[in-house]
Amino acid sequence: MAVDSETKKVFDAEAAASLMKDLRGSYASGRTRSYEWRVAQLKNMMKIVDDHEQDILDAIRADLCKPDQEAYIAEISIMKSSCLRALGELHRWMKPEKVKTSVTTFPSSAEIVSEPLGVILIIGAWNFPLLLSLDPAIGAIAAGNAVVLKPSELCPATSSLIAKLVGKYLDSSCVRVVEGAVAETSVLLEQKWDKIFFTGSGRVGRIVLAAAAKHLTPVTLELGGKCPVVVDSDINLPVAIKRIAGGKWTSNNGQACIAPDYVITTKDFAPKLIDALKHQLEAWYGKDPLESKDLAHIVNSHHFDRLLKLLDDDKVSGKIIHGGQRDKANLKFAPTILLDVPEDSLIMGEEIFGPLLPILTVSSSDGPASNEPVKRFVPTVGPLFQTGSLFRRQNNNVTFVDKLEECFDMIISRGKPLAAYLFTNNKKLKEKFVKTVSAGGLVINDTVLHFAEKTLPFGGVGESGMGSYHGKFSYDNFSHRKSVLYKGFAGDASARYPPYSDRKLKLLKALLSGSVIGVILALVGWS
């Protein structure tokens, strides 16, 4: 499919309605439902990345200055893995799932049949512009749906390439790409879809959800949040540092929804952690990281200014202990570490989504870290940070957090993040972390790696999103699991029908409770 030039110039409500009409017709024809069609599309998606790997890397570098190795690992390789898994498992996924039946419906048999939802809208994100458009589409196509892709306009080179390659390799009667910005997205959201899949900010997610509600359209929202990293002292520090720094700065220079947002560690261990982070960053990016070719740029001036605002806040500008260099003309921002920023600072009030990493410390003392008295306050949601130590609120008092595990309550108070990370060798601490912290996903002794594991569902909870995907979870996300009960004409129970009687009621109670003995007793009049 070539992208229609007129549609590309003016995509208004009329064009959106026409697009929807075409796709509804294609879906209604049954074209997308066959195993053969699904496999053909998935194989062609593999061809997109195999035949145009360098074109894809060039486009991503043009949009984000993302290093080729980073783009290949985080986008191309994961997309290929998703395709291969779907191709290998699709026949099994499509088979009806036989389930047991009870005495209540005896004699009967039952199964769960997965059927496609219909016509799907996928709105991609700019930080991983290829993966976050095409990876959800793999699940939608595998499930037998017609699909409209809306890549992010903030990455125009990748968006244009997606439109070109999808048009060339996939079935244009069932899979389409719409390029554009807010206006085009708005007219798309006015249509009645069978599902909308959105990746992006909570602010836009609310707009998508409100638009979907008008049509009772189900939605998957992949959002974000402030992803914490809790670091114990009994760890392999060199390995942990690489994994924390890698999750933060090799994930698009912090512009990732599951990148570490802030670190919590003990006051005694913090100097070792900070020193190791500084050395690791210098080893990776040199003494002047703005000259490094291995560090992605900030996506645009708007997001650059947002990061500047966080860093130039009077409450945190004096807390910078490493980095802070920036070059707005070239959208370059150095990895930056801050120590013990206040809770009421801007940087702790929103998802950072950039190369800034606050480190918060747990006080190891029995009292305040300074001569300032413990203050009283009116309780509100969230922790309180002051004078270089981590506090928690309890019974209208500000009290120090003396144990690392007590910070789990602070994490919970900030809402449910998309991911949370813990580095420790302490078994009890791991167990409490898993039991206590609610997040889209947890990783112990690493960061971000769960995103690449297709046997795990990936998605948020609460304000970090709703719904999940990856592997079989993607297939299920875009499918309706239809219940089917098979009955013959034998064994019809007269107790179901009028005229009613006490004996019939006893028999029905036994049937509905699933008790075979109860049924027998009711039939012979012993109950």
Side-chain angles (χ1 to χ4, degrees):
M1 171 199 80
V3 177
D4 184 82
S5 59
E6 291 187 11
T7 301
K8 192 172 182 180
K9 288 179 182 178
V10 180
F11 190 84
D12 54 16
E14 183 179 350
S18 177
L19 172 65
M20 178 60 78
K21 181 180 178 181
D22 291 345
L23 291 175
R24 289 263 178 230
S26 297
Y27 177 74
S29 72
R31 184 179 182 86
T32 65
R33 290 175 173 259
S34 73
Y35 173 79
E36 291 75 18
W37 182 89
R38 304 182 200 195
V39 167
Q41 302 312 301
L42 293 173
K43 287 182 176 179
N44 284 338
M45 291 188 83
M46 281 290 293
K47 288 183 179 180
I48 286 176
V49 290
D50 285 339
D51 295 352
H52 297 276
E53 178 181 307
Q54 194 57 52
D55 294 333
I56 292 168
L57 294 175
D58 291 344
I60 295 173
R61 178 171 280 277
D63 288 327
L64 296 169
C65 204
K66 188 181 292 187
D68 286 358
Q69 181 171 327
E70 198 174 306
Y72 181 86
I73 292 171
E75 304 217 41
I76 292 176
S77 70
I78 294 179
M79 182 184 159
K80 290 176 73 171
S81 174
S82 295
C83 271
L84 288 172
R85 186 172 188 87
L87 285 167
E89 300 285 342
L90 183 58
H91 191 270
R92 184 173 63 85
W93 292 348
M94 290 178 66
K95 291 180 67 173
E97 178 186 344
K98 300 294 184 181
V99 294
K100 294 180 179 179
T101 58
S102 66
V103 68
T104 303
T105 59
F106 179 85
S108 65
S109 62
E111 63 185 7
I112 301 170
V113 178
S114 291
E115 65 178 10
L117 294 174
V119 183
I120 310 296
L121 173 62
I122 296 173
I123 304 174
W126 58 263
N127 53 333
F128 294 89
L130 178 86
L131 182 71
L132 297 182
S133 290
L134 294 186
D135 199 40
I138 292 169
I141 289 171
N145 297 282
V147 179
V148 171
L149 292 173
K150 168 57 185 69
S152 173
E153 71 277 9
L154 298 186
C155 290
T158 309
S159 176
S160 177
L161 184 63
I162 289 173
K164 175 184 174 182
L165 296 180
V166 167
K168 178 180 178 181
Y169 285 87
L170 302 187
D171 182 353
S172 62
S173 69
C174 305
V175 184
R176 302 285 292 273
V177 175
V178 174
E179 292 190 88
V182 175
E184 290 77 11
T185 305
S186 297
V187 295
L188 284 171
L189 288 173
E190 291 172 1
Q191 301 299 309
K192 179 176 173 55
W193 303 91
D194 296 301
K195 185 150 199 178
I196 299 174
F197 188 105
F198 169 78
T199 304
S201 69
R203 180 184 64 83
V204 180
R206 288 175 170 85
I207 295 172
V208 172
L209 190 59
K214 295 177 182 178
H215 302 288
L216 295 179
T217 297
V219 174
T220 294
L221 299 178
E222 296 292 340
L223 306 177
K226 295 185 75 65
C227 302
V229 184
V230 180
V231 183
D232 198 4
S233 58
D234 66 332
I235 59 172
N236 184 325
L237 185 58
V239 173
I241 285 298
K242 290 179 182 177
R243 293 175 178 179
I244 295 169
K248 180 66 173 180
W249 291 290
T250 70
S251 295
N252 203 28
N253 201 9
Q255 299 169 105
C257 54
I258 54 174
D261 191 274
Y262 61 98
V263 173
I264 301 174
T265 191
T266 63
K267 182 171 286 295
D268 291 338
F269 191 64
K272 294 179 182 178
L273 179 72
I274 292 166
D275 188 58
L277 272 174
K278 289 179 178 179
H279 280 88
Q280 193 63 63
L281 289 171
E282 185 173 327
W284 285 354
Y285 304 118
K287 293 186 178 297
D288 185 359
L290 298 184
E291 296 298 320
S292 175
K293 295 181 180 180
D294 294 328
L295 199 63
H297 291 186
I298 306 306
V299 64
N300 58 26
S301 59
H302 168 73
H303 283 277
F304 193 96
D305 289 340
R306 181 185 61 81
L307 291 169
L308 276 183
K309 185 178 180 181
L310 298 181
L311 201 58
D312 291 342
D313 179 5
D314 290 340
K315 295 177 180 179
V316 305
S317 57
K319 302 288 187 177
I320 300 170
I321 57 174
H322 181 79
Q325 307 97 314
R326 72 292 297 262
D327 175 4
K328 185 173 181 178
N330 294 299
L331 298 176
K332 295 180 179 181
F333 216 121
T336 301
I337 304 172
L338 305 96
L339 181 61
D340 286 319
V341 299
E343 186 270 343
D344 59 352
S345 60
L346 294 175
I347 201 169
M348 291 307 296
E350 65 179 66
E351 182 180 4
I352 295 171
F353 220 74
L356 317 180
L357 183 65
I359 296 177
L360 314 176
T361 59
V362 174
S363 175
S364 57
S365 65
D366 294 328
S370 73
N371 293 325
E372 292 187 33
V374 173
K375 298 182 178 179
R376 300 185 67 83
F377 66 99
V378 177
T380 58
V381 175
L384 176 69
F385 298 100
Q386 182 184 354
T387 65
S389 294
L390 181 60
F391 293 78
R392 62 182 168 87
R393 293 185 166 101
Q394 186 177 37
N395 298 328
N396 286 344
N397 290 310
V398 178
T399 59
F400 279 83
V401 174
D402 296 318
K403 296 180 180 180
L404 193 61
E405 60 262 34
E406 291 181 1
C407 75
F408 297 169
D409 292 332
M410 183 277 288
I411 293 171
I412 296 169
S413 74
R414 303 197 68 89
K416 300 177 180 181
L418 188 55
Y421 309 112
L422 171 67
F423 285 81
T424 186
N425 282 314
N426 187 313
K427 183 179 178 181
K428 289 185 178 180
L429 194 62
K430 293 177 187 178
E431 291 173 350
K432 185 170 183 179
F433 184 74
V434 172
K435 182 178 180 180
T436 304
V437 176
S438 180
L442 305 178
V443 182
I444 310 297
N445 293 329
D446 212 325
T447 63
V448 308
L449 207 58
H450 62 303
F451 184 86
E453 181 51 70
K454 299 304 178 184
T455 59
L456 292 173
F458 179 81
V461 58
E463 290 197 358
S464 61
M466 58 182 71
S468 60
Y469 72 123
H470 285 183
K472 176 64 159 50
F473 304 101
S474 289
Y475 180 87
D476 290 340
N477 189 312
F478 295 105
S479 300
H480 168 58
R481 287 169 59 82
K482 182 168 60 180
S483 301
V484 182
L485 181 71
Y486 294 95
K487 289 277 290 182
F489 292 101
D492 197 40
S494 62
R496 293 171 56 185
Y497 312 113
Y500 302 129
S501 67
D502 290 342
R503 185 168 181 271
K504 285 184 176 181
L505 181 59
K506 291 177 181 178
L507 178 58
L508 284 174
K509 284 183 177 180
L511 283 168
L512 294 174
S513 69
S515 171
V516 176
I517 295 176
V519 171
I520 295 172
L521 292 175
L523 287 173
V524 299
W526 288 358
S527 64

